[in-house]
Amino acid sequence: MSFLQDPSFFTMGMWSIGAGALGAAALALLLANTDVFLPKPQKATLEYLEDIDLKTLEKEPVTFKAKTLWENNGAVIMAVRRPGCFLCREEAADLSSLKPKLDELGIPLYAVVKEHVKTEVKDFQPYFKGEIFLDEKKKFYGPERRKMMFMGFVRLGVWYNFFRARSGGFSGNLEGEGFILGGVFVVGPGKQGILLEHREKEFGDKVNLVSVLEAAKKIIKPQTSASEKK
């Protein structure tokens, strides 16, 4: 057992343990930056979206079915992860840049939030140029809600998104729930269906604006009958 008294033996042992720990950390970091452990989104059906209860944000809120938003003209709808998040504000501003083109097409732009905290929605409105409603049951974030917890802070894509939004001059706060991931929908009128469903895979994973416009242009408006014209 004389080798136990050799200082080099302990040095080698500590080096091996350290190398093993570094290797494990590197592997964990690598896996965290793949999509292996990301929650897989479950596609929503039109029937699922139609039946969602939404509320207006007035002092005396009115409850209505979500299908009211798109049943006549279709709609573009943002499910906001957290109104105070600077990444969400960036995406809201991006979508709002499409509003002139959406107005030309006669398609409204809406947003839903999952909670109404302090002045968060009011502070969000300068970034979003459409009406905002409350989805208390968080149905627009389903059918199966997906969360990104602290793993998000070791993802390179998230850090890139942080720097992109900060460089664009966006700022925010930490008020409210921000782990349940959001998304963007383009829904056609009547039973035309869901034309685009973007599910945020990580913090700051924005929808492609070209895809939103392409989907919006596919919206088929109901034909007005001759009797209705009269």
Side-chain angles (χ1 to χ4, degrees), residues 12-176:
M12 288 287 291
M14 293 302 293
W15 185 89
S16 298
I17 293 171
L22 285 174
L27 179 60
L29 184 62
L30 177 64
L31 290 175
N33 280 279
T34 68
D35 293 348
V36 174
F37 296 113
L38 291 182
K40 301 297 186 290
Q42 180 183 346
K43 291 286 186 181
T45 63
L46 180 63
E47 292 73 21
Y48 171 84
L49 294 182
E50 286 177 329
D51 199 45
I52 294 174
D53 288 321
L54 298 177
K55 287 185 177 181
T56 60
L57 295 172
E58 305 158 338
K59 288 185 178 179
E60 295 183 7
V62 176
T63 300
F64 62 97
K65 292 296 182 183
K67 67 178 181 180
T68 306
L69 299 181
W70 60 78
E71 63 183 350
N72 293 324
N73 298 304
V76 176
I77 304 166
M78 177 183 181
V80 182
R81 180 167 52 79
R82 190 171 63 82
C85 171
F86 68 101
L87 296 171
C88 299
R89 291 175 173 183
E90 180 196 30
E91 183 167 31
D94 284 355
L95 283 170
S96 295
S97 72
L98 298 180
K99 195 167 190 310
K101 293 181 179 179
L102 293 175
D103 287 345
E104 287 178 10
L105 295 169
I107 300 166
L109 175 65
Y110 299 115
V112 297
V113 295
K114 51 182 166 343
E115 56 186 356
H116 193 188
V117 179
K118 299 180 182 178
T119 62
E120 291 305 292
V121 174
K122 180 181 177 181
D123 296 339
F124 182 72
Q125 286 175 327
Y127 303 94
F128 189 77
K129 305 306 180 185
E131 290 186 77
I132 304 173
F133 304 99
L134 178 63
D135 176 13
E136 280 186 319
K137 296 180 180 177
K138 306 177 180 64
K139 293 289 188 176
F140 264 98
Y141 304 83
E144 186 175 335
R145 291 177 208 160
R146 300 164 303 115
K147 287 187 177 183
M148 172 160 281
M149 305 296 282
F150 299 105
M151 182 181 73
F153 297 102
V154 298
R155 288 181 63 86
L156 297 178
V158 171
W159 283 100
Y160 170 79
N161 296 339
F162 284 167
F163 287 119
R164 181 196 63 219
R166 287 294 187 195
S167 298
F170 293 92
S171 61
N173 57 56
L174 298 176
E175 294 285 351

